[in-house]
């Protein structure tokens, strides 16, 4: 694996769960990690916890629903370094019981999920691209979901075929579209763009009902964030390998 010492990373939604574990792993790999979180108190406590592990982690207030925090985060990173080597778009929300089958999904909730998980992530990516372009081989990882795969969702034999969340699934399908199109746009730059599916991980979003630990859920995003130059781009991956769109 190539040296990542001195590299700079931003992980969004990193005050807990999978995002926190991604930040920890990247810090252990020698990166300076900007830990993005919308709640200031929780974000600062999360950064302090990783600093206590002797990791170079700095908190930045970043709320996907507040464009001014996205712009301020980009400015904070630029003030620290002249580039960004890794962007992990992990922040996202679910809709709980209000997000389900198409006939009963609350449209307002579905809109809120899409606004955060897709449009908010797009805004972060656009704001960070000037910094990413300055890195020699930057990596963008969009934390997606198997629920965003149209092929898997349409397969009656898939183990999660009965788990339908229209708003959440649509937002992750849109995120995968961002991965494909951004990888195409950046194909001649050396920037690698991929989607990672964590798997059914025990987090607050699902009431800790997942069958994986956060360490397992973070593993593929971390692998993609640490790709060597010339690695794959425009792909959708889990720890078991490539996934269908």
């Amino acid at each position: 694996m190539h040296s990542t010492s001195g590299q700079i990373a931003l992980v969004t939604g990193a005050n807990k769960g999978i995002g926190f574990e991604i930040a920890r792993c990247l810090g252990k790999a020698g990166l300076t990690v900007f830990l993005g979180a919308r709640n200031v108190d929780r974000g600062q406590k999360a950064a302090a916890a990783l600093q206590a592990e002797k990791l170079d982690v700095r908190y930045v207030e970043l709320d996907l629903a507040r464009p001014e925090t996205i712009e301020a985060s980009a400015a904070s990173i630029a003030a620290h370094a002249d580039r960004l080597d890794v962007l992990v778009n992990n922040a996202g929300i679910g809709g709980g019981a209000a997000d389900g089958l198409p006939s009963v999904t609350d449209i307002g909730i579905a809109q809120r999920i899409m606004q955060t998980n897709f449009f908010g992530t797009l805004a972060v990516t656009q704001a960070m691209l000037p910094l990413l372009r300055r890195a020699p081989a930057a990596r963008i990882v969009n934390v997606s979901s198997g629920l965003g795969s149209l092929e898997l969702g349409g397969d009656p034999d898939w183990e999660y075929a009965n788990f339908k969340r229209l708003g959440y699934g649509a937002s992750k399908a849109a995120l995968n579209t961002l991965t494909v199109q951004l990888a195409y746009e950046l194909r001649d730059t050396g920037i690698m763009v991929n989607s990672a599916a964590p798997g059914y991980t025990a987090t607050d979003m699902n009431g800790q009902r997942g069958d994986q630990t956060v360490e397992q859920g973070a593993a593929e995003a971390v692998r993609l964030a640490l790709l060597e130059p010339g690695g794959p781009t425009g792909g959708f991956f889990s720890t078991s390998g490539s996934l269908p769109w």
Side-chain angles (χ1 to χ4, degrees):
M1 183 176 294
H2 69 297
S3 174
T4 53
S5 178
Q7 293 193 6
I8 312 297
L10 169 64
V11 183
T12 69
N15 62 291
K16 61 181 180 178
I18 292 173
F20 182 80
E21 184 60 26
I22 293 170
R24 170 187 276 139
C25 291
L26 295 183
K28 287 184 176 181
L31 285 79
T32 295
V33 180
F34 283 84
L35 184 155
R38 60 184 176 181
N39 184 289
V40 174
D41 181 61
R42 293 173 185 171
Q44 290 176 338
K45 287 179 178 177
L50 294 180
Q51 290 163 3
E53 297 182 26
K54 309 301 182 184
L55 304 180
D56 188 2
V57 177
R58 298 120 189 268
Y59 169 67
V60 287
E61 182 182 5
L62 203 164
D63 185 342
L64 271 60
R66 295 170 55 212
E68 67 274 15
T69 68
I70 297 173
E71 295 169 5
S73 294
S76 294
I77 296 170
H80 172 79
D82 63 351
R83 71 189 190 284
L84 181 64
D85 298 279
V86 175
L87 169 61
V88 181
N89 284 314
N90 170 74
I93 62 171
D99 184 26
L101 291 167
S103 63
V104 296
T105 290
D106 183 301
I107 293 176
I109 293 296
Q111 290 174 327
R112 180 170 175 262
I113 295 169
M114 184 66 76
Q115 183 64 43
T116 300
N117 295 1
F118 176 65
F119 291 110
T121 297
L122 176 60
V124 170
T125 303
Q126 289 180 341
M128 301 302 161
L129 268 174
L131 291 168
L132 290 160
R133 288 180 182 274
R134 296 175 192 167
R139 286 83 71 200
I140 300 172
V141 182
N142 293 323
V143 178
S144 184
S145 169
L147 299 178
S149 168
L150 300 182
E151 183 172 332
L152 290 177
D155 181 356
D157 295 324
W158 185 44
E159 60 180 321
Y160 300 113
N162 293 329
F163 192 80
K164 301 300 186 192
R165 296 290 185 269
L166 180 63
Y168 186 79
S171 74
K172 293 304 185 178
L175 187 63
N176 285 344
T177 300
L178 171 61
T179 294
V180 170
Q181 295 200 12
L182 187 60
Y184 174 81
E185 181 181 358
L186 300 176
R187 64 193 183 281
D188 296 324
T189 68
I191 299 175
M192 293 161 274
V193 188
N194 292 288
S195 284
Y200 192 33
T201 303
T203 65
D204 287 350
M205 185 180 291
N206 59 36
Q208 300 296 325
R209 292 188 297 270
D211 54 17
Q212 291 187 153
T213 65
V214 290
E215 291 82 4
Q216 292 171 314
E220 188 60 17
V222 171
R223 184 187 75 83
L224 294 171
L226 298 177
L227 284 174
E228 296 188 6
T233 187
F236 187 18
F237 301 95
S238 73
T239 53
S240 61
S242 181
L243 294 177
W245 297 111

